[in-house]
Amino acid sequence: MAEQTVIITGASSGVGLHAADSLAQSGRWHVVMACRDKAKAQNAAASLGMRPQSYTIVHLDLASLASVRRFVQDFRALGQPLDALVCNAAVYTPTAREPRYTADGFELSVGTNHLGHFLLCNLLLEDLQNSPAAEPRLVILGTVTHNPKELGGSIPPRPDLGDLRGLEQGFKAPHTMIDGKAYNPVKAYKDSKVCNLLTMRELHRRFHTSHKITFSALYPGCVATSGLFRESPRLFQILFPVFQKYVTGGFVSEAEAGGRVAALVDDPAYSRSGVYWSWGNRQKKDGKSFIQDVSTEASDEDKARRLWDLSAGLVGLA
């Protein structure tokens, strides 16, 4: 079987790096590592012993819409078909006292995690549709913190997109939150992950039948040692992995989580579209995945449609 091509955002470290390694080592996939720091990605790939011919590093900064558009041009210049896209990269700034912004003036967490990926997905839909693979896939990383019914989402501040007023008002200072309320960095991250799931479900509704693409999301378990928490207080970084290992049972290593992401790309068992796969805390029992319900808000079809339209306007899509 000829190699297939997968793009993985944020592949220079953590879950994205290990997903890239897992797919590259299989011999069935050529991985395009979409990263801000190409030197860091090169060193990371070499540290895992990835074969140089199994991956290509292409610059991508999701906090810049211009960079997203350049990335798509640079990818197409490689002359390779696209068989899968993994939207993995994320920004989390829990200790920020003031909003940070993308190159386009959007609040950083939502601007990167949602809007950057939203544009990337839309620009690459045609490439996925034209894939010679029988089952091209688009995978988005989720998290329990999107859901107030789960422990991670129930701890205040809870995710809530409200009536999307902040997006409707242009989502630039002073409008830094999707619901139009006062800035909170933790809520901004949780809101962005709600947007990721709404986007996955709306992609499925709009394009699965016509484009024959499998759209899905996953929560691979709690990667408590992830660089995502690099800006969290030091005590949290020490205690959180211990809590997840010995209290909730939700802890998973970066390598194991990366393998689970790779499975959603490669394993025929994950060919169902429009669903949210999870390992969650149930891995404590048997380590197997299951289809988990998304939050009430992330399953709101009317909100998904409106989020899509507002996001399309913000990123400059017709």
Side-chain angles (χ1 to χ4, degrees):
M1 180 180 294
E3 278 188 333
Q4 294 180 289
T5 301
V6 56
I7 293 172
I8 303 178
T9 67
S12 62
S13 63
V15 176
L17 172 63
H18 286 282
D21 180 50
S22 180
L23 289 167
Q25 300 292 1
S26 74
R28 295 185 296 274
W29 290 88
H30 184 87
V31 182
V32 175
M33 303 171 70
C35 309
R36 285 183 301 170
D37 189 331
K38 294 178 69 173
K40 178 183 177 182
Q42 181 62 62
N43 291 336
S47 73
L48 292 182
M50 292 174 63
R51 295 176 296 111
Q53 63 269 32
S54 70
Y55 65 89
T56 302
I57 301 170
V58 180
H59 179 264
L60 170 64
D61 182 359
L62 287 162
S64 164
L65 299 180
S67 177
V68 173
R69 294 180 184 278
R70 281 195 302 272
F71 170 82
V72 173
Q73 293 175 348
D74 292 341
F75 168 72
R76 288 173 177 164
L78 297 176
Q80 298 176 214
L82 179 63
D83 306 294
L85 169 63
V86 177
C87 297
N88 160 77
V91 172
Y92 179 45
T93 60
T95 57
R97 296 187 177 184
E98 299 292 335
R100 301 179 193 175
Y101 298 96
T102 69
D104 304 280
F106 305 129
E107 186 279 320
L108 185 63
S109 294
V110 173
T112 303
N113 305 348
H114 168 54
L115 292 174
H117 275 131
F118 178 84
L119 178 60
L120 183 68
C121 290
N122 274 275
L123 294 180
L124 290 175
L125 272 175
E126 181 180 356
D127 300 77
L128 285 169
Q129 185 182 22
N130 292 332
S131 164
E135 191 181 89
R137 298 185 182 185
L138 192 159
V139 177
I140 299 178
L141 269 286
T143 169
V144 292
T145 61
H146 93 275
N147 193 347
K149 296 177 183 178
E150 298 283 336
L151 176 61
S154 66
I155 300 171
R158 297 179 179 181
D160 180 10
L161 306 187
D163 61 1
L164 308 181
R165 185 175 307 171
L167 297 185
E168 191 174 55
Q169 294 174 332
F171 203 56
K172 294 184 179 180
H175 309 292
T176 57
M177 297 294 289
I178 293 176
D179 61 5
K181 297 181 180 179
Y183 174 69
N184 183 294
V186 176
K187 184 176 180 297
Y189 171 78
K190 293 181 178 181
D191 287 351
S192 75
K193 302 312 288 184
V194 176
C195 290
N196 285 161
L197 290 174
L198 284 168
T199 297
M200 180 276 289
R201 292 168 65 85
E202 187 66 2
L203 281 164
H204 167 76
R205 188 187 72 82
R206 289 175 180 243
F207 303 112
H208 173 62
T209 301
S210 60
H211 287 46
K212 307 303 181 185
I213 300 169
T214 294
F215 301 99
S216 61
L218 83 155
Y219 172 61
C222 183
V223 189
T225 57
S226 168
L228 182 69
F229 303 113
R230 66 174 63 89
E231 293 194 29
S232 298
R234 181 58 184 161
L235 184 60
F236 175 89
Q237 294 182 49
I238 295 171
L239 295 180
F240 188 51
V242 176
F243 178 74
Q244 291 296 336
K245 284 181 180 179
Y246 301 110
V247 179
T248 70
F251 179 87
V252 62
S253 69
E254 294 178 2
E256 190 170 8
R260 291 170 176 177
V261 173
L264 254 72
V265 172
D266 191 46
D267 192 332
Y270 296 101
S271 61
R272 184 170 170 181
S273 186
V275 299
Y276 174 47
W277 297 95
S278 179
W279 278 259
N281 294 341
R282 299 185 201 185
Q283 66 174 355
K284 192 172 182 179
K285 298 178 181 178
D286 58 17
K288 295 181 180 179
S289 62
F290 56 97
I291 294 177
Q292 187 170 36
D293 291 335
V294 299
S295 70
T296 300
E297 185 169 43
S299 59
D300 185 331
E301 293 186 0
D302 290 335
K303 184 164 287 188
R305 292 186 180 95
R306 189 152 175 263
L307 174 68
W308 181 282
D309 291 340
L310 290 170
S311 299
L314 290 173
V315 302
L317 291 173

